[in-house]
Amino acid sequence: MAALPSPLRVCRGILKELRLLHGPGYNQSLAYTYVMDQFRKNKVTGERYCRAQQEAHHASHSYLCLLESTRSHLVLHNLYHSKGERNPEQVANLVGLRLPTQPGGKGWDK
Amino acid sequence: MFKGLVRLQSQFGNVLSLSKVCPRNQHSRFAWKYSTAAAERKRFYQDVSISQGDGGLYEINLDRRKLKTPGGKLFTVPNEALAIAVATEWDAQGDTLKFYTMHLTTLCNTALDNPSQRNKQQMINAALKFLETDTVCYRVDEPHGLVELQNNEWDPVLRWIENRYNVIIGSSSSILGPVIPEATKDRFRQHLNSYNFWSLTGLEYVITQLKSVVLSMGLIDRHLSVEQAVLLSRLEEEYQIRCWGNVEWAHDYDMYELRARTAAGALFVHLSSESSTVKNKLMQD
């Protein structure tokens, strides 16, 4: 069995992600109600060996991972990859070069 | 109460297909041609809600319209948890819809539309094809540090799966890889037969992401967490990062994407084979 962080930490993590997604009104969202409901339902089983609880714990952790990773991925994507390809001039600039220019225009554009 | 209201709304809602409601943005700016912006679309709805339709299946409502798959079918999912997760994905979008961040929606669309028109048997065969070239079965002879790392990290998982399913897989450092006995494949084929179509869609997705049947089964059987499975799948890359340094726009970018996809796949498998779990919970109350 994988060593997962405690259910409380997972729960708080998911709520944090939901807050980042939905803003201040996040506790009105469908997901908030459902997540809280599930965590409360699975809490009562206490000390007994309970498969359902472990399943819920693992699933909740996967969900937390999904939310966190999607957010981090999007941040990196927007930072590095969202602008598309650079044009030849910018690429040349990157390595300190300039594209050759022709003083009298290129002949074909008048 | 809330659900009743939504259902009432959806009765009035017209069932226009989404493509008619929102014509694809046709920007022809040069940069767009190569950027992901071309795969984005303006957000055309305010509220996202779910409702239970005929046969107990859950539907997603965007304002008053019902969500449809790219293939034109009504978007339905078998349980509430999945419906809420999908609705959250749609609700989380800003001014533009970024489909590449909506992994669960994508998986549901694949399961509903089945674009490659395959049946269960073909999917199982495709999944088991990865066993022959499984990541954790291919070892290196050098450098010494990586050999040690592979032995320390991969061997426990390999031993675990061999005990769990009572099969022989083994590892090899030859270019041909280990010879997987036919009995092993039969055992896995038998096991995968017990999965329903939706779970298999998710499982195959996880396997293709991790490039490993062993790690995927470890994840689905809850022996590994998503982070662990992804780490083990990228073991050589992690080793190289440790030697040569981390590059955020390549390594971290890939890792987060792989994690998100793997987590979505694992969650999808667990949620779509959930019906028995839900019954257990009700009986406990």
PDB file of all heavy atoms in Angstrom, chain A residues 2 22 31 34 38 55 58-59 61-63 66 69 73 77 80-81 84, chain B residues 35-36 81 88 91 222-224 227-228 248-249 253 259-260 267 277 281:
ATOM      1  N   ALA A   2       0.572   2.119  -0.895  1.00  0.00           N
ATOM      2  CA  ALA A   2       1.365   3.346  -0.991  1.00  0.00           C
ATOM      3  C   ALA A   2       1.151   4.218   0.236  1.00  0.00           C
ATOM      4  O   ALA A   2       0.065   4.274   0.784  1.00  0.00           O
ATOM      5  CB  ALA A   2       0.925   4.119  -2.235  1.00  0.00           C
ATOM      6  N   HIS A  22     -12.275  28.276  -8.439  1.00  0.00           N
ATOM      7  CA  HIS A  22     -13.575  28.947  -8.442  1.00  0.00           C
ATOM      8  C   HIS A  22     -13.555  30.325  -7.810  1.00  0.00           C
ATOM      9  O   HIS A  22     -14.536  31.047  -7.894  1.00  0.00           O
ATOM     10  CB  HIS A  22     -14.603  28.099  -7.689  1.00  0.00           C
ATOM     11  CG  HIS A  22     -14.913  26.806  -8.357  1.00  0.00           C
ATOM     12  ND1 HIS A  22     -15.634  26.735  -9.524  1.00  0.00           N
ATOM     13  CD2 HIS A  22     -14.597  25.538  -8.052  1.00  0.00           C
ATOM     14  CE1 HIS A  22     -15.743  25.477  -9.892  1.00  0.00           C
ATOM     15  NE2 HIS A  22     -15.109  24.722  -9.021  1.00  0.00           N
ATOM     16  N   ALA A  31     -18.615  20.618  -6.556  1.00  0.00           N
ATOM     17  CA  ALA A  31     -17.499  19.776  -6.133  1.00  0.00           C
ATOM     18  C   ALA A  31     -17.252  19.926  -4.635  1.00  0.00           C
ATOM     19  O   ALA A  31     -16.983  18.940  -3.940  1.00  0.00           O
ATOM     20  CB  ALA A  31     -16.245  20.145  -6.921  1.00  0.00           C
ATOM     21  N   TYR A  34     -19.760  17.924  -2.691  1.00  0.00           N
ATOM     22  CA  TYR A  34     -19.557  16.487  -2.848  1.00  0.00           C
ATOM     23  C   TYR A  34     -18.325  16.010  -2.076  1.00  0.00           C
ATOM     24  O   TYR A  34     -18.368  15.004  -1.374  1.00  0.00           O
ATOM     25  CB  TYR A  34     -19.419  16.137  -4.332  1.00  0.00           C
ATOM     26  CG  TYR A  34     -19.331  14.664  -4.586  1.00  0.00           C
ATOM     27  CD1 TYR A  34     -20.475  13.879  -4.593  1.00  0.00           C
ATOM     28  CD2 TYR A  34     -18.097  14.047  -4.775  1.00  0.00           C
ATOM     29  CE1 TYR A  34     -20.397  12.524  -4.799  1.00  0.00           C
ATOM     30  CE2 TYR A  34     -18.013  12.683  -4.980  1.00  0.00           C
ATOM     31  CZ  TYR A  34     -19.160  11.930  -4.992  1.00  0.00           C
ATOM     32  OH  TYR A  34     -19.082  10.584  -5.180  1.00  0.00           O
ATOM     33  N   GLN A  38     -18.248  13.347   0.974  1.00  0.00           N
ATOM     34  CA  GLN A  38     -17.535  12.071   0.898  1.00  0.00           C
ATOM     35  C   GLN A  38     -16.561  11.921   2.059  1.00  0.00           C
ATOM     36  O   GLN A  38     -16.466  10.859   2.669  1.00  0.00           O
ATOM     37  CB  GLN A  38     -16.769  11.968  -0.423  1.00  0.00           C
ATOM     38  CG  GLN A  38     -17.650  11.745  -1.621  1.00  0.00           C
ATOM     39  CD  GLN A  38     -18.440  10.463  -1.510  1.00  0.00           C
ATOM     40  OE1 GLN A  38     -17.905   9.397  -1.236  1.00  0.00           O
ATOM     41  NE2 GLN A  38     -19.754  10.558  -1.675  1.00  0.00           N
ATOM     42  N   GLU A  55     -10.057   2.873  -0.489  1.00  0.00           N
ATOM     43  CA  GLU A  55     -10.333   3.210  -1.886  1.00  0.00           C
ATOM     44  C   GLU A  55     -10.628   4.691  -2.018  1.00  0.00           C
ATOM     45  O   GLU A  55     -10.115   5.364  -2.918  1.00  0.00           O
ATOM     46  CB  GLU A  55     -11.523   2.394  -2.397  1.00  0.00           C
ATOM     47  CG  GLU A  55     -11.155   0.959  -2.675  1.00  0.00           C
ATOM     48  CD  GLU A  55     -12.358   0.120  -3.043  1.00  0.00           C
ATOM     49  OE1 GLU A  55     -13.461   0.674  -3.186  1.00  0.00           O
ATOM     50  OE2 GLU A  55     -12.189  -1.098  -3.172  1.00  0.00           O
ATOM     51  N   HIS A  58      -7.408   6.732  -1.651  1.00  0.00           N
ATOM     52  CA  HIS A  58      -6.572   6.690  -2.853  1.00  0.00           C
ATOM     53  C   HIS A  58      -7.184   7.541  -3.955  1.00  0.00           C
ATOM     54  O   HIS A  58      -6.483   8.320  -4.618  1.00  0.00           O
ATOM     55  CB  HIS A  58      -6.410   5.243  -3.311  1.00  0.00           C
ATOM     56  CG  HIS A  58      -5.324   5.066  -4.332  1.00  0.00           C
ATOM     57  ND1 HIS A  58      -5.537   5.281  -5.671  1.00  0.00           N
ATOM     58  CD2 HIS A  58      -4.021   4.721  -4.215  1.00  0.00           C
ATOM     59  CE1 HIS A  58      -4.410   5.053  -6.336  1.00  0.00           C
ATOM     60  NE2 HIS A  58      -3.475   4.724  -5.479  1.00  0.00           N
ATOM     61  N   ALA A  59      -8.510   7.407  -4.149  1.00  0.00           N
ATOM     62  CA  ALA A  59      -9.174   8.177  -5.208  1.00  0.00           C
ATOM     63  C   ALA A  59      -9.069   9.668  -4.935  1.00  0.00           C
ATOM     64  O   ALA A  59      -8.802  10.457  -5.846  1.00  0.00           O
ATOM     65  CB  ALA A  59     -10.635   7.762  -5.327  1.00  0.00           C
ATOM     66  N   HIS A  61      -6.782  11.170  -3.286  1.00  0.00           N
ATOM     67  CA  HIS A  61      -5.403  11.600  -3.522  1.00  0.00           C
ATOM     68  C   HIS A  61      -5.124  11.750  -5.012  1.00  0.00           C
ATOM     69  O   HIS A  61      -4.443  12.687  -5.436  1.00  0.00           O
ATOM     70  CB  HIS A  61      -4.438  10.602  -2.879  1.00  0.00           C
ATOM     71  CG  HIS A  61      -3.018  11.040  -2.975  1.00  0.00           C
ATOM     72  ND1 HIS A  61      -2.114  10.424  -3.809  1.00  0.00           N
ATOM     73  CD2 HIS A  61      -2.352  12.039  -2.383  1.00  0.00           C
ATOM     74  CE1 HIS A  61      -0.947  11.021  -3.717  1.00  0.00           C
ATOM     75  NE2 HIS A  61      -1.059  12.011  -2.850  1.00  0.00           N
ATOM     76  N   SER A  62      -5.665  10.822  -5.817  1.00  0.00           N
ATOM     77  CA  SER A  62      -5.503  10.942  -7.269  1.00  0.00           C
ATOM     78  C   SER A  62      -6.137  12.234  -7.758  1.00  0.00           C
ATOM     79  O   SER A  62      -5.589  12.924  -8.618  1.00  0.00           O
ATOM     80  CB  SER A  62      -6.163   9.775  -8.003  1.00  0.00           C
ATOM     81  OG  SER A  62      -5.618   8.566  -7.595  1.00  0.00           O
ATOM     82  N   TYR A  63      -7.302  12.558  -7.194  1.00  0.00           N
ATOM     83  CA  TYR A  63      -8.003  13.765  -7.636  1.00  0.00           C
ATOM     84  C   TYR A  63      -7.188  15.002  -7.277  1.00  0.00           C
ATOM     85  O   TYR A  63      -7.057  15.917  -8.087  1.00  0.00           O
ATOM     86  CB  TYR A  63      -9.396  13.835  -7.002  1.00  0.00           C
ATOM     87  CG  TYR A  63     -10.266  14.914  -7.609  1.00  0.00           C
ATOM     88  CD1 TYR A  63     -10.447  14.978  -8.985  1.00  0.00           C
ATOM     89  CD2 TYR A  63     -10.879  15.869  -6.818  1.00  0.00           C
ATOM     90  CE1 TYR A  63     -11.217  15.971  -9.558  1.00  0.00           C
ATOM     91  CE2 TYR A  63     -11.652  16.869  -7.387  1.00  0.00           C
ATOM     92  CZ  TYR A  63     -11.819  16.912  -8.757  1.00  0.00           C
ATOM     93  OH  TYR A  63     -12.575  17.907  -9.323  1.00  0.00           O
ATOM     94  N   LEU A  66      -4.479  15.293  -9.716  1.00  0.00           N
ATOM     95  CA  LEU A  66      -4.989  15.774 -11.005  1.00  0.00           C
ATOM     96  C   LEU A  66      -5.136  17.290 -10.979  1.00  0.00           C
ATOM     97  O   LEU A  66      -4.659  17.993 -11.883  1.00  0.00           O
ATOM     98  CB  LEU A  66      -6.336  15.111 -11.295  1.00  0.00           C
ATOM     99  CG  LEU A  66      -7.135  15.651 -12.476  1.00  0.00           C
ATOM    100  CD1 LEU A  66      -6.393  15.457 -13.774  1.00  0.00           C
ATOM    101  CD2 LEU A  66      -8.489  14.972 -12.568  1.00  0.00           C
ATOM    102  N   SER A  69      -1.576  19.073 -10.601  1.00  0.00           N
ATOM    103  CA  SER A  69      -0.717  18.952 -11.773  1.00  0.00           C
ATOM    104  C   SER A  69      -1.274  19.740 -12.945  1.00  0.00           C
ATOM    105  O   SER A  69      -0.519  20.366 -13.686  1.00  0.00           O
ATOM    106  CB  SER A  69      -0.568  17.492 -12.181  1.00  0.00           C
ATOM    107  OG  SER A  69      -0.265  16.714 -11.084  1.00  0.00           O
ATOM    108  N   HIS A  73       0.835  22.579 -14.652  1.00  0.00           N
ATOM    109  CA  HIS A  73       1.112  22.414 -16.082  1.00  0.00           C
ATOM    110  C   HIS A  73       0.656  23.631 -16.861  1.00  0.00           C
ATOM    111  O   HIS A  73       1.358  24.129 -17.741  1.00  0.00           O
ATOM    112  CB  HIS A  73       0.407  21.158 -16.586  1.00  0.00           C
ATOM    113  CG  HIS A  73       0.590  20.927 -18.051  1.00  0.00           C
ATOM    114  ND1 HIS A  73      -0.430  21.047 -18.954  1.00  0.00           N
ATOM    115  CD2 HIS A  73       1.685  20.617 -18.767  1.00  0.00           C
ATOM    116  CE1 HIS A  73       0.028  20.828 -20.170  1.00  0.00           C
ATOM    117  NE2 HIS A  73       1.307  20.561 -20.087  1.00  0.00           N
ATOM    118  N   HIS A  77       2.785  26.095 -19.068  1.00  0.00           N
ATOM    119  CA  HIS A  77       2.379  26.213 -20.464  1.00  0.00           C
ATOM    120  C   HIS A  77       2.238  27.680 -20.856  1.00  0.00           C
ATOM    121  O   HIS A  77       2.751  28.117 -21.880  1.00  0.00           O
ATOM    122  CB  HIS A  77       1.057  25.480 -20.672  1.00  0.00           C
ATOM    123  CG  HIS A  77       0.588  25.476 -22.080  1.00  0.00           C
ATOM    124  ND1 HIS A  77       1.043  24.575 -23.006  1.00  0.00           N
ATOM    125  CD2 HIS A  77      -0.249  26.308 -22.738  1.00  0.00           C
ATOM    126  CE1 HIS A  77       0.478  24.842 -24.172  1.00  0.00           C
ATOM    127  NE2 HIS A  77      -0.303  25.883 -24.038  1.00  0.00           N
ATOM    128  N   TYR A  80       5.795  29.364 -20.992  1.00  0.00           N
ATOM    129  CA  TYR A  80       6.800  29.008 -21.999  1.00  0.00           C
ATOM    130  C   TYR A  80       6.243  28.661 -23.376  1.00  0.00           C
ATOM    131  O   TYR A  80       6.893  28.858 -24.376  1.00  0.00           O
ATOM    132  CB  TYR A  80       7.620  27.805 -21.516  1.00  0.00           C
ATOM    133  CG  TYR A  80       8.438  28.078 -20.291  1.00  0.00           C
ATOM    134  CD1 TYR A  80       8.133  27.479 -19.081  1.00  0.00           C
ATOM    135  CD2 TYR A  80       9.528  28.935 -20.346  1.00  0.00           C
ATOM    136  CE1 TYR A  80       8.888  27.718 -17.953  1.00  0.00           C
ATOM    137  CE2 TYR A  80      10.274  29.183 -19.224  1.00  0.00           C
ATOM    138  CZ  TYR A  80       9.962  28.567 -18.024  1.00  0.00           C
ATOM    139  OH  TYR A  80      10.707  28.821 -16.922  1.00  0.00           O
ATOM    140  N   HIS A  81       5.062  28.054 -23.415  1.00  0.00           N
ATOM    141  CA  HIS A  81       4.660  27.432 -24.679  1.00  0.00           C
ATOM    142  C   HIS A  81       3.419  28.025 -25.321  1.00  0.00           C
ATOM    143  O   HIS A  81       2.999  27.562 -26.361  1.00  0.00           O
ATOM    144  CB  HIS A  81       4.410  25.936 -24.466  1.00  0.00           C
ATOM    145  CG  HIS A  81       5.620  25.188 -24.028  1.00  0.00           C
ATOM    146  ND1 HIS A  81       6.578  24.746 -24.911  1.00  0.00           N
ATOM    147  CD2 HIS A  81       6.048  24.830 -22.807  1.00  0.00           C
ATOM    148  CE1 HIS A  81       7.546  24.139 -24.238  1.00  0.00           C
ATOM    149  NE2 HIS A  81       7.248  24.175 -22.958  1.00  0.00           N
ATOM    150  N   GLY A  84       3.238  30.274 -29.130  1.00  0.00           N
ATOM    151  CA  GLY A  84       3.487  29.741 -30.460  1.00  0.00           C
ATOM    152  C   GLY A  84       4.942  29.895 -30.850  1.00  0.00           C
ATOM    153  O   GLY A  84       5.780  30.244 -30.022  1.00  0.00           O
TER     154      GLY A  84
ATOM    155  N   SER B  35       0.451  27.656 -32.361  1.00  0.00           N
ATOM    156  CA  SER B  35       0.275  27.643 -30.912  1.00  0.00           C
ATOM    157  C   SER B  35      -0.975  26.869 -30.532  1.00  0.00           C
ATOM    158  O   SER B  35      -1.827  26.572 -31.369  1.00  0.00           O
ATOM    159  CB  SER B  35       0.177  29.066 -30.379  1.00  0.00           C
ATOM    160  OG  SER B  35      -1.109  29.565 -30.648  1.00  0.00           O
ATOM    161  N   THR B  36      -1.059  26.557 -29.231  1.00  0.00           N
ATOM    162  CA  THR B  36      -2.238  25.836 -28.753  1.00  0.00           C
ATOM    163  C   THR B  36      -3.467  26.708 -28.781  1.00  0.00           C
ATOM    164  O   THR B  36      -4.566  26.205 -28.619  1.00  0.00           O
ATOM    165  CB  THR B  36      -2.010  25.359 -27.321  1.00  0.00           C
ATOM    166  OG1 THR B  36      -1.492  26.440 -26.583  1.00  0.00           O
ATOM    167  CG2 THR B  36      -1.094  24.173 -27.274  1.00  0.00           C
ATOM    168  N   ALA B  81     -20.034  11.126  -9.047  1.00  0.00           N
ATOM    169  CA  ALA B  81     -18.685  11.632  -8.802  1.00  0.00           C
ATOM    170  C   ALA B  81     -18.032  12.072 -10.108  1.00  0.00           C
ATOM    171  O   ALA B  81     -17.455  13.158 -10.199  1.00  0.00           O
ATOM    172  CB  ALA B  81     -17.844  10.553  -8.135  1.00  0.00           C
ATOM    173  N   THR B  88     -16.797  20.238 -12.915  1.00  0.00           N
ATOM    174  CA  THR B  88     -15.784  21.126 -12.334  1.00  0.00           C
ATOM    175  C   THR B  88     -14.778  21.552 -13.389  1.00  0.00           C
ATOM    176  O   THR B  88     -14.359  22.699 -13.436  1.00  0.00           O
ATOM    177  CB  THR B  88     -15.065  20.418 -11.171  1.00  0.00           C
ATOM    178  OG1 THR B  88     -16.054  19.994 -10.238  1.00  0.00           O
ATOM    179  CG2 THR B  88     -14.096  21.339 -10.484  1.00  0.00           C
ATOM    180  N   ASP B  91     -16.413  24.175 -15.435  1.00  0.00           N
ATOM    181  CA  ASP B  91     -16.626  25.384 -14.642  1.00  0.00           C
ATOM    182  C   ASP B  91     -15.304  26.114 -14.393  1.00  0.00           C
ATOM    183  O   ASP B  91     -15.275  27.328 -14.204  1.00  0.00           O
ATOM    184  CB  ASP B  91     -17.281  24.999 -13.310  1.00  0.00           C
ATOM    185  CG  ASP B  91     -18.094  26.148 -12.750  1.00  0.00           C
ATOM    186  OD1 ASP B  91     -18.346  27.105 -13.515  1.00  0.00           O
ATOM    187  OD2 ASP B  91     -18.454  26.103 -11.569  1.00  0.00           O
ATOM    188  N   ARG B 222      -3.924   0.164  -6.370  1.00  0.00           N
ATOM    189  CA  ARG B 222      -3.667   1.054  -5.224  1.00  0.00           C
ATOM    190  C   ARG B 222      -2.405   0.683  -4.455  1.00  0.00           C
ATOM    191  O   ARG B 222      -2.286   0.971  -3.268  1.00  0.00           O
ATOM    192  CB  ARG B 222      -4.867   1.061  -4.264  1.00  0.00           C
ATOM    193  CG  ARG B 222      -6.140   1.499  -4.952  1.00  0.00           C
ATOM    194  CD  ARG B 222      -7.294   1.572  -4.011  1.00  0.00           C
ATOM    195  NE  ARG B 222      -8.482   2.045  -4.690  1.00  0.00           N
ATOM    196  CZ  ARG B 222      -9.313   1.249  -5.362  1.00  0.00           C
ATOM    197  NH1 ARG B 222      -9.083  -0.040  -5.435  1.00  0.00           N
ATOM    198  NH2 ARG B 222     -10.369   1.756  -5.956  1.00  0.00           N
ATOM    199  N   HIS B 223      -1.479  -0.001  -5.142  1.00  0.00           N
ATOM    200  CA  HIS B 223      -0.195  -0.274  -4.509  1.00  0.00           C
ATOM    201  C   HIS B 223       0.696   0.959  -4.602  1.00  0.00           C
ATOM    202  O   HIS B 223       1.525   1.199  -3.733  1.00  0.00           O
ATOM    203  CB  HIS B 223       0.465  -1.473  -5.205  1.00  0.00           C
ATOM    204  CG  HIS B 223       1.831  -1.795  -4.681  1.00  0.00           C
ATOM    205  ND1 HIS B 223       2.030  -2.321  -3.428  1.00  0.00           N
ATOM    206  CD2 HIS B 223       3.056  -1.645  -5.238  1.00  0.00           C
ATOM    207  CE1 HIS B 223       3.332  -2.483  -3.229  1.00  0.00           C
ATOM    208  NE2 HIS B 223       3.979  -2.078  -4.312  1.00  0.00           N
ATOM    209  N   LEU B 224       0.530   1.751  -5.668  1.00  0.00           N
ATOM    210  CA  LEU B 224       1.329   2.952  -5.887  1.00  0.00           C
ATOM    211  C   LEU B 224       0.416   4.164  -5.926  1.00  0.00           C
ATOM    212  O   LEU B 224      -0.749   4.054  -6.293  1.00  0.00           O
ATOM    213  CB  LEU B 224       2.059   2.866  -7.241  1.00  0.00           C
ATOM    214  CG  LEU B 224       3.028   1.725  -7.465  1.00  0.00           C
ATOM    215  CD1 LEU B 224       3.438   1.691  -8.939  1.00  0.00           C
ATOM    216  CD2 LEU B 224       4.243   1.896  -6.597  1.00  0.00           C
ATOM    217  N   GLU B 227       1.963   9.900  -7.991  1.00  0.00           N
ATOM    218  CA  GLU B 227       3.307  10.490  -8.007  1.00  0.00           C
ATOM    219  C   GLU B 227       4.379   9.405  -8.098  1.00  0.00           C
ATOM    220  O   GLU B 227       5.334   9.532  -8.854  1.00  0.00           O
ATOM    221  CB  GLU B 227       3.559  11.329  -6.753  1.00  0.00           C
ATOM    222  CG  GLU B 227       2.939  12.703  -6.799  1.00  0.00           C
ATOM    223  CD  GLU B 227       1.583  12.727  -6.126  1.00  0.00           C
ATOM    224  OE1 GLU B 227       0.984  11.623  -5.972  1.00  0.00           O
ATOM    225  OE2 GLU B 227       1.123  13.808  -5.749  1.00  0.00           O
ATOM    226  N   GLN B 228       4.184   8.329  -7.318  1.00  0.00           N
ATOM    227  CA  GLN B 228       5.172   7.247  -7.339  1.00  0.00           C
ATOM    228  C   GLN B 228       5.230   6.599  -8.720  1.00  0.00           C
ATOM    229  O   GLN B 228       6.312   6.349  -9.252  1.00  0.00           O
ATOM    230  CB  GLN B 228       4.815   6.194  -6.292  1.00  0.00           C
ATOM    231  CG  GLN B 228       5.103   6.633  -4.873  1.00  0.00           C
ATOM    232  CD  GLN B 228       4.505   5.685  -3.860  1.00  0.00           C
ATOM    233  OE1 GLN B 228       3.425   5.143  -4.081  1.00  0.00           O
ATOM    234  NE2 GLN B 228       5.193   5.486  -2.753  1.00  0.00           N
ATOM    235  N   GLU B 248      13.096  23.647 -16.517  1.00  0.00           N
ATOM    236  CA  GLU B 248      11.685  23.782 -16.154  1.00  0.00           C
ATOM    237  C   GLU B 248      10.755  23.633 -17.345  1.00  0.00           C
ATOM    238  O   GLU B 248       9.735  22.964 -17.273  1.00  0.00           O
ATOM    239  CB  GLU B 248      11.473  25.146 -15.497  1.00  0.00           C
ATOM    240  CG  GLU B 248      10.206  25.236 -14.702  1.00  0.00           C
ATOM    241  CD  GLU B 248      10.059  26.602 -14.077  1.00  0.00           C
ATOM    242  OE1 GLU B 248      10.333  27.611 -14.752  1.00  0.00           O
ATOM    243  OE2 GLU B 248       9.688  26.669 -12.908  1.00  0.00           O
ATOM    244  N   TRP B 249      11.131  24.260 -18.474  1.00  0.00           N
ATOM    245  CA  TRP B 249      10.181  24.252 -19.586  1.00  0.00           C
ATOM    246  C   TRP B 249      10.125  22.918 -20.319  1.00  0.00           C
ATOM    247  O   TRP B 249       9.305  22.727 -21.198  1.00  0.00           O
ATOM    248  CB  TRP B 249      10.432  25.409 -20.542  1.00  0.00           C
ATOM    249  CG  TRP B 249      11.833  25.586 -21.039  1.00  0.00           C
ATOM    250  CD1 TRP B 249      12.756  26.459 -20.554  1.00  0.00           C
ATOM    251  CD2 TRP B 249      12.483  24.899 -22.100  1.00  0.00           C
ATOM    252  NE1 TRP B 249      13.919  26.349 -21.239  1.00  0.00           N
ATOM    253  CE2 TRP B 249      13.795  25.418 -22.199  1.00  0.00           C
ATOM    254  CE3 TRP B 249      12.084  23.898 -22.994  1.00  0.00           C
ATOM    255  CZ2 TRP B 249      14.706  24.962 -23.140  1.00  0.00           C
ATOM    256  CZ3 TRP B 249      12.995  23.445 -23.925  1.00  0.00           C
ATOM    257  CH2 TRP B 249      14.284  23.979 -23.988  1.00  0.00           C
ATOM    258  N   TYR B 253       7.532  20.580 -17.150  1.00  0.00           N
ATOM    259  CA  TYR B 253       6.358  20.653 -18.019  1.00  0.00           C
ATOM    260  C   TYR B 253       5.852  19.249 -18.356  1.00  0.00           C
ATOM    261  O   TYR B 253       4.675  18.941 -18.206  1.00  0.00           O
ATOM    262  CB  TYR B 253       6.769  21.413 -19.280  1.00  0.00           C
ATOM    263  CG  TYR B 253       5.670  21.658 -20.267  1.00  0.00           C
ATOM    264  CD1 TYR B 253       4.759  22.677 -20.061  1.00  0.00           C
ATOM    265  CD2 TYR B 253       5.570  20.891 -21.423  1.00  0.00           C
ATOM    266  CE1 TYR B 253       3.750  22.915 -20.975  1.00  0.00           C
ATOM    267  CE2 TYR B 253       4.570  21.131 -22.337  1.00  0.00           C
ATOM    268  CZ  TYR B 253       3.666  22.149 -22.110  1.00  0.00           C
ATOM    269  OH  TYR B 253       2.675  22.376 -23.020  1.00  0.00           O
ATOM    270  N   ARG B 259       1.690  13.553 -14.951  1.00  0.00           N
ATOM    271  CA  ARG B 259       0.964  13.337 -13.697  1.00  0.00           C
ATOM    272  C   ARG B 259      -0.518  13.583 -13.858  1.00  0.00           C
ATOM    273  O   ARG B 259      -1.349  12.808 -13.399  1.00  0.00           O
ATOM    274  CB  ARG B 259       1.495  14.283 -12.622  1.00  0.00           C
ATOM    275  CG  ARG B 259       2.623  13.716 -11.832  1.00  0.00           C
ATOM    276  CD  ARG B 259       2.815  14.550 -10.598  1.00  0.00           C
ATOM    277  NE  ARG B 259       4.096  14.274  -9.983  1.00  0.00           N
ATOM    278  CZ  ARG B 259       4.619  14.987  -9.008  1.00  0.00           C
ATOM    279  NH1 ARG B 259       3.958  16.037  -8.551  1.00  0.00           N
ATOM    280  NH2 ARG B 259       5.770  14.671  -8.488  1.00  0.00           N
ATOM    281  N   ALA B 260      -0.848  14.712 -14.515  1.00  0.00           N
ATOM    282  CA  ALA B 260      -2.257  15.051 -14.686  1.00  0.00           C
ATOM    283  C   ALA B 260      -2.973  13.965 -15.488  1.00  0.00           C
ATOM    284  O   ALA B 260      -4.056  13.503 -15.120  1.00  0.00           O
ATOM    285  CB  ALA B 260      -2.388  16.401 -15.378  1.00  0.00           C
ATOM    286  N   LEU B 267      -8.184   7.836 -11.885  1.00  0.00           N
ATOM    287  CA  LEU B 267      -9.454   8.233 -11.283  1.00  0.00           C
ATOM    288  C   LEU B 267     -10.621   7.733 -12.131  1.00  0.00           C
ATOM    289  O   LEU B 267     -11.635   7.260 -11.613  1.00  0.00           O
ATOM    290  CB  LEU B 267      -9.490   9.757 -11.186  1.00  0.00           C
ATOM    291  CG  LEU B 267     -10.463  10.349 -10.179  1.00  0.00           C
ATOM    292  CD1 LEU B 267     -10.064   9.945  -8.782  1.00  0.00           C
ATOM    293  CD2 LEU B 267     -10.500  11.855 -10.315  1.00  0.00           C
ATOM    294  N   THR B 277     -18.773  -0.255  -4.896  1.00  0.00           N
ATOM    295  CA  THR B 277     -18.272   0.500  -3.749  1.00  0.00           C
ATOM    296  C   THR B 277     -19.388   1.334  -3.128  1.00  0.00           C
ATOM    297  O   THR B 277     -19.528   1.396  -1.913  1.00  0.00           O
ATOM    298  CB  THR B 277     -17.128   1.445  -4.178  1.00  0.00           C
ATOM    299  OG1 THR B 277     -16.348   0.773  -5.146  1.00  0.00           O
ATOM    300  CG2 THR B 277     -16.291   1.853  -3.019  1.00  0.00           C
ATOM    301  N   LYS B 281     -20.977   1.336   0.825  1.00  0.00           N
ATOM    302  CA  LYS B 281     -21.080   2.479   1.712  1.00  0.00           C
ATOM    303  C   LYS B 281     -22.487   2.614   2.259  1.00  0.00           C
ATOM    304  O   LYS B 281     -22.690   2.899   3.421  1.00  0.00           O
ATOM    305  CB  LYS B 281     -20.693   3.747   0.956  1.00  0.00           C
ATOM    306  CG  LYS B 281     -19.204   3.937   0.867  1.00  0.00           C
ATOM    307  CD  LYS B 281     -18.899   5.201   0.142  1.00  0.00           C
ATOM    308  CE  LYS B 281     -17.439   5.202  -0.266  1.00  0.00           C
ATOM    309  NZ  LYS B 281     -17.183   6.127  -1.337  1.00  0.00           N
TER     310      LYS B 281
END
